[in-house]
């Protein structure tokens, strides 16, 4: 028992010596940081160019204002007077404009023909207005008397009937429709308008009316529906 107590006492002393010899170190810590990137040369060049352009624009604007709007003032007092005159002129011009009343905006256009604008359209082509031969026109009896030869296939019949009914609303037209054999070649017939449909290809038009002209008047007409775009 005595030896065991002595050994336990020696082990306890050694443990205390080890504990006493320990050195305390601070716990490591993680520090967050953000690396600041150096701007690239191209970015610096763009920023410099933008700054130069802005300064140049501001300088040019200031010079033009000084020379033309303020009449080249030499002193601060002259600048103030020039700005005052500029604001007065702008206010007078604003008062001249009546932005709340557009009743008479077309009064000065009495002799102006809006139809002339379309004559300058490069895609319009010849915009000359032509009429049918006098044989088809009865001035005191409904105007133009025209026969429509319906050479369309069955897929176009509803559209044809709707278009004819719409045109019949005019007091200057008397239309007579007659159903004929389907004609995808759209052959012309004198004295009537042929209405037909077919795939005419990439022509740039969905529908077109072709007139036969003799001695400056229309003697026949063909209305084509292009199914290429449908």
């Amino acid at each position: 028992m005595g030896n065991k107590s002595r050994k336990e006492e020696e082990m306890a002393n050694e443990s205390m010596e080890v504990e006493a010899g320990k050195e305390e170190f601070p716990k490591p810590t993680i520090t967050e940081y953000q690396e600041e990137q150096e701007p690239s040369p191209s970015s610096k060049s763009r920023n410099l160019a933008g700054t130069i352009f802005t300064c140049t624009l501001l300088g040019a604007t200031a010079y033009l204002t000084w020379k033309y709007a303020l009449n080249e003032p030499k002193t601060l007092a002259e600048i103030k007077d020039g700005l005052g005159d500029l604001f007065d002129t702008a206010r007078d011009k604003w008062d001249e404009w009546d932005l709340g009343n557009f009743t008479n905006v077309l009064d000065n256009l009495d002799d102006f023909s809006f139809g002339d604008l379309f004559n300058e359209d490069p895609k319009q082509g010849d915009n000359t207005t032509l009429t049918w031969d006098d044989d088809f026109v009865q001035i005191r009896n409904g105007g133009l008397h025209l026969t429509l030869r319906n050479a369309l296939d069955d897929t176009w019949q509803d559209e044809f009937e709707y278009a004819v009914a719409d045109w019949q609303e005019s007091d200057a037209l008397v239309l007579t429709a007659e159903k004929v054999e389907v004609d995808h070649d759209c052959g012309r017939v004198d004295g009537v308008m042929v209405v037909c449909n077919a795939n005419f290809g990439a022509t740039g038009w969905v529908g077109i009316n072709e007139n036969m002209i003799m001695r400056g008047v229309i003697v026949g007409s063909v209305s084509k529906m292009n199914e290429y775009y449908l």
Side-chain angles (χ1 to χ4, degrees), residues 5-193:
S5 299
R6 193 178 306 111
K7 288 181 178 181
E8 291 177 352
E9 184 177 350
E10 290 175 357
M11 291 176 63
N13 292 336
E14 290 177 359
S15 177
M16 291 176 64
E17 291 174 359
V18 171
E19 291 292 337
K22 284 184 178 180
E23 184 177 356
E24 293 293 335
F25 293 96
K27 293 182 179 180
T29 59
I30 300 176
T31 303
E32 295 183 358
Y33 69 97
Q34 182 176 2
E35 183 178 359
E36 184 175 345
Q37 297 182 352
E38 183 71 18
S40 63
S42 60
S43 177
K44 289 182 177 179
S45 299
R46 286 194 299 269
N47 293 338
L48 179 60
T51 302
I52 294 174
F53 175 78
T54 302
C55 292
T56 303
L57 182 62
L58 292 175
T61 303
Y63 173 77
L64 293 175
T65 302
W66 171 80
K67 183 174 181 61
Y68 297 104
L70 302 180
N71 298 321
E72 303 182 15
K74 301 296 190 298
T75 64
L76 182 59
E78 291 179 352
I79 293 176
K80 290 181 179 180
D81 293 339
L83 289 174
D85 294 340
L86 182 63
F87 289 143
D88 291 340
T89 302
R91 184 171 58 252
D92 293 340
K93 290 293 184 182
W94 181 264
D95 292 338
E96 292 176 4
W97 298 335
D98 185 4
L99 301 181
N101 184 4
F102 293 92
T103 304
N104 301 319
V105 293
L106 300 180
D107 283 353
N108 296 326
L109 300 179
D110 293 340
D111 298 328
F112 183 78
S113 174
F114 287 98
D116 292 341
L117 295 175
F118 297 97
N119 292 330
E120 304 300 327
D121 187 351
K123 296 184 179 297
Q124 178 67 31
D126 186 0
N127 198 31
T128 303
T129 301
L130 299 172
T131 61
W132 279 80
D133 189 283
D134 290 342
D135 293 342
F136 306 102
V137 180
Q138 300 178 27
I139 298 177
R140 292 180 174 83
N141 187 25
L144 174 63
H145 288 243
L146 185 62
T147 298
L148 306 178
R149 291 174 64 95
N150 179 3
L152 298 161
D153 60 31
D154 292 339
T155 60
W156 286 89
Q157 295 307 312
D158 290 342
E159 288 78 5
F160 176 79
E161 293 177 3
Y162 179 84
V164 171
D166 186 46
W167 279 106
Q168 289 279 35
E169 296 294 325
S170 172
D171 295 331
L173 279 176
V174 177
L175 302 178
T176 302
E178 60 179 33
K179 187 74 175 70
V180 298
E181 185 177 353
V182 174
D183 181 12
H184 292 306
D185 293 330
C186 300
R188 183 181 62 82
V189 179
D190 289 344
V192 302
M193 173 183 284

